[in-house]
Amino acid sequence: MPVVSVKDLKKSYLSPNGSQEPILDVPSFELHDKQQVAMRGASGSGKTTFLHLLAGIIRPDEGQIAIDGQAISALKEHQRDTLRAGKIGYIFQSFNLLKGFNCLENVRMAMDINGIADCGRALDLLESVGLADRQNHLPGQLSIGQQQRVAIARALVNQPKVVLADEPTGNLDPANTDYALSLLCSLCEEWGSSLILVSHDPRVIEQFEDRVDWEELNQVKVGHPVAWGSCKKLK
């Protein structure tokens, strides 16, 4: 059974002139257990909308989404929140760390939402991303690369079935990009989480074996097709 299953998924937004503007039309998509997929597409082409739909942050106009066998499209908002807390880890491009809370508290809050209070697990994740000595630091006291590592730890702390990463290296320099990608993929493998990473950066996409061309998957044509590069495995 796929960890993520999508069928006939559609989403539109209200344009300034009052008409409905389609942004997403995905006939089918599947992600399997422990699979790691990179999805490449131009900025503004609907990739973030797709991740928000999978996470239950927004609801589709039409279609079906199942996460770990559970249909989420018809769930009420609080039910989607519960499912997201237990089965989905989300890494935002801007990290979305809470500025008034330290690293450990940012990671633990993800557990609190899921009704768990395991400080040891949170510390283990911070140690895994090399930030155990920064557990009491506020996000503003960290570098951009360190903030990204806290975001990775937070996304994985509940041992989710799937991690959704939205342009997770968009704010990083090349060296930190390579480190963050290697860290994210190795931790997903270690903790048994599947991964969908979206990016418009060919250099990021080329580091994954399993790749999806968003412009081919999404039947709403937004932007321009992009060329693929060669493929290599993350070490």
Side-chain angles (χ1 to χ4, degrees):
M1 179 180 66
V3 176
V4 176
S5 178
V6 167
K7 185 175 182 182
D8 298 327
L9 191 64
K10 296 183 180 181
K11 184 66 179 178
S12 299
Y13 287 107
L14 190 66
S15 69
N17 64 15
S19 63
Q20 288 293 326
E21 187 73 25
I23 184 68
L24 185 144
D25 180 356
V26 176
S28 66
F29 173 80
E30 288 186 348
L31 180 76
H32 297 280
D33 190 42
K34 300 181 182 179
Q35 185 180 8
Q36 298 184 2
V37 170
M39 188 173 290
R40 180 179 176 184
S43 297
S45 61
K47 304 185 306 299
T48 294
T49 298
F50 184 60
L51 293 190
H52 282 184
L53 287 165
L54 296 184
I57 295 172
I58 58 176
R59 296 182 65 176
D61 299 331
E62 300 178 30
Q64 302 172 9
I65 305 169
I67 303 295
D68 197 26
Q70 183 175 359
I72 70 169
S73 304
L75 294 179
K76 296 180 180 179
E77 184 175 357
H78 74 277
Q79 294 173 316
R80 299 198 308 273
D81 291 344
T82 299
L83 181 139
R84 183 166 56 250
K87 294 182 181 287
I88 298 171
Y90 204 112
I91 301 174
F92 298 88
Q93 181 177 359
S94 57
F95 313 148
N96 283 12
L97 299 177
L98 298 174
K99 297 179 180 180
F101 296 86
N102 64 35
C103 294
L104 181 60
E105 289 168 337
N106 266 278
V107 175
R108 287 185 61 187
M109 281 183 184
M111 303 177 75
D112 293 339
I113 294 171
N114 202 30
I116 300 172
D118 189 341
C119 186
R121 187 190 300 176
L123 283 170
D124 285 346
L125 258 299
L126 284 177
E127 184 174 1
S128 295
V129 300
L131 292 175
D133 61 339
R134 298 289 194 276
Q135 61 179 282
N136 294 317
H137 284 56
L138 299 174
Q141 298 171 318
L142 304 175
S143 69
I144 296 298
Q146 289 171 332
Q147 290 179 47
Q148 177 61 294
R149 283 187 269 159
V150 176
I152 290 172
R154 181 183 60 185
L156 284 162
V157 73
N158 287 327
Q159 295 181 273
K161 292 295 295 183
V162 60
V163 172
L164 306 174
D166 187 6
E167 299 278 4
T169 61
N171 295 313
L172 304 181
D173 58 44
N176 275 308
T177 290
D178 290 342
Y179 182 76
L181 286 176
S182 179
L183 183 65
L184 174 59
C185 291
S186 62
L187 285 174
C188 282
E189 183 176 355
E190 178 182 347
W191 288 66
S193 300
S194 302
L195 171 65
I196 301 175
L197 180 146
V198 303
S199 178
H200 66 275
D201 185 350
R203 186 173 176 275
V204 170
I205 300 298
E206 289 167 8
Q207 297 189 55
F208 287 77
E209 279 193 332
D210 292 340
R211 303 179 296 180
V212 173
D213 187 341
W214 175 247
E215 274 75 15
E216 292 183 3
L217 182 65
N218 185 20
Q219 301 305 295
V220 176
K221 301 308 175 188
V222 181
H224 302 284
V226 286
W228 286 94
S230 59
C231 174
K232 64 180 180 180
K233 285 186 178 181
L234 281 172
K235 301 298 183 182

